[in-house]
Amino acid sequence: MTESSAATVRSRERGSSRGSDSAAEPGSSRRSASSRGSDSSRGSRRSERASHTWRSGGSSVARWDWELVGWAVLLLGAGILLATLADRLVGGALGSALSIAALWGGMLAAIILAFVRSRPRMLLRFHPFDLLYGVVLGVLLRFIQGFLEIAGTGTAAWPTAGTLDGSLPASFWFDGVLAPVVIAPLLEEFFFRAVLLVAIFTAVRRMTNSRSWAGFAAITVTTLLFIGLHLVFDIYTWWSVATLGIVGLVCAGLVVATSRIWGAVLTHIVFNGVAVAMLLVGTVGT
């Protein structure tokens, strides 16, 4: 074979190789496009799953219905009845302790009953924004309470606690700190804004096929029941009732807006915690 013939053969081989490479490119391009489409589809499905919460229904709230609302209200009523009997029949420190235990027991029983059925999607998930909501809204609500008190009484006296020989009684740290700042907000928010609110929202949404009406009904009913519970055990002024209503509306609206319970829990904790902190400062100052 001459050198020119060999050069011709090599040139043809290189051309053939380039042709095969170019022939492979369209298939490769199609596979790349298919891969991108698959990734986009998976991303879309993940986005849909992330936006799907208990407000949309589904299996996570399949058994959260009017029956659960009925049981929750019944258990709360039983707790109120037992608490009232314990306070009146036993009396004293023991009667007070039994009264609180009965009330908390009724709410806790309803919470357990609800979450044994299922766990509403996203309701128990924590987001860092929940902490921000809790601090900002809790402090803001305490300021609103102060303004309402000034409007109702003409003044807002700094709160103080009674002391025993110049010091706070031992029971104060449970009755005045742990109970109102931690236990009560947790139980009340889970009962009113988790169990009752989610069950009412779900039941009304099924009846009306409207999230707007469901949200309105759930927020309104749970706020009224929240106020009613407090009125059973104490005498409140109009501005105190207004404060309870605003706290209930804000916490309920926060749960409906975010689908999560922790923002409402932290708002309630901060709201009560600021009052306890003011009480301690006022007592120490005095």
Side-chain angles (χ1 to χ4, degrees):
M1 182 181 291
T2 64
E3 291 181 1
S4 62
S5 297
T8 301
V9 170
R10 286 194 296 271
S11 176
R12 288 174 180 173
E13 289 174 349
R14 285 194 297 269
S16 174
S17 175
R18 285 193 298 270
S20 64
D21 290 344
S22 64
E25 287 175 2
S28 174
S29 177
R30 285 193 296 271
R31 286 194 297 273
S32 177
S34 175
S35 175
R36 287 194 298 270
S38 177
D39 291 343
S40 176
S41 176
R42 285 195 294 268
S44 177
R45 287 196 295 269
R46 284 195 297 268
S47 178
E48 289 176 2
R49 287 195 297 269
S51 63
H52 181 69
T53 70
W54 55 266
R55 291 178 300 170
S56 303
S59 59
S60 71
V61 287
R63 299 183 63 196
W64 288 57
D65 49 21
W66 290 120
E67 180 186 357
L68 179 58
V69 173
W71 277 111
V73 172
L74 182 64
L75 288 168
L76 177 64
I80 292 173
L81 177 61
L82 292 175
T84 303
L85 290 175
D87 189 46
R88 293 183 179 180
L89 297 180
V90 179
L94 178 60
S96 178
L98 291 174
S99 177
I100 294 174
L103 178 62
W104 287 351
M107 288 192 286
L108 182 60
I111 295 168
I112 293 172
L113 174 65
F115 284 95
V116 163
R117 293 186 172 210
S118 64
R119 186 177 66 181
R121 186 179 179 87
M122 289 286 290
L123 182 65
L124 300 183
R125 184 171 297 183
F126 177 80
H127 191 281
F129 273 124
D130 295 332
L131 180 59
L132 179 63
Y133 294 145
V135 173
V136 173
L137 292 176
V139 173
L140 179 61
L141 287 170
R142 184 52 66 183
F143 272 113
I144 292 174
Q145 181 271 329
F147 288 132
L148 289 174
E149 183 176 353
I150 293 174
T153 64
T155 183
W158 195 277
T160 58
T163 57
L164 183 63
D165 295 330
S167 61
L168 292 168
S171 61
F172 174 82
W173 300 107
F174 178 82
D175 298 337
V177 179
L178 183 62
V181 177
V182 180
I183 301 176
L186 274 171
L187 286 175
E188 289 179 7
E189 291 307 317
F190 267 82
F191 178 82
F192 288 105
R193 258 71 76 170
V195 175
L196 273 183
L197 184 143
V198 173
I200 293 172
F201 183 100
T202 303
V204 174
R205 183 190 56 78
R206 288 173 184 151
M207 293 172 55
T208 63
N209 198 29
S210 169
R211 293 190 190 184
S212 299
W213 279 112
F216 175 78
I219 291 172
T220 302
V221 173
T222 54
T223 299
L224 291 175
L225 289 175
F226 178 69
I227 295 172
L229 173 64
H230 289 80
L231 292 178
V232 168
F233 293 100
D234 207 346
I235 298 175
Y236 284 80
T237 60
W238 70 264
W239 53 267
S240 297
V241 174
T243 300
L244 286 172
I246 294 171
V247 171
L249 289 173
V250 169
C251 290
L254 195 57
V255 173
V256 171
T258 65
S259 299
R260 301 185 302 270
I261 187 60
W262 295 110
V265 170
L266 290 171
T267 297
H268 201 156
I269 286 175
V270 171
F271 176 76
N272 286 6
V274 170
V276 171
M278 292 174 64
L279 183 70
L280 290 172
V281 170
T283 302
V284 171
T286 303

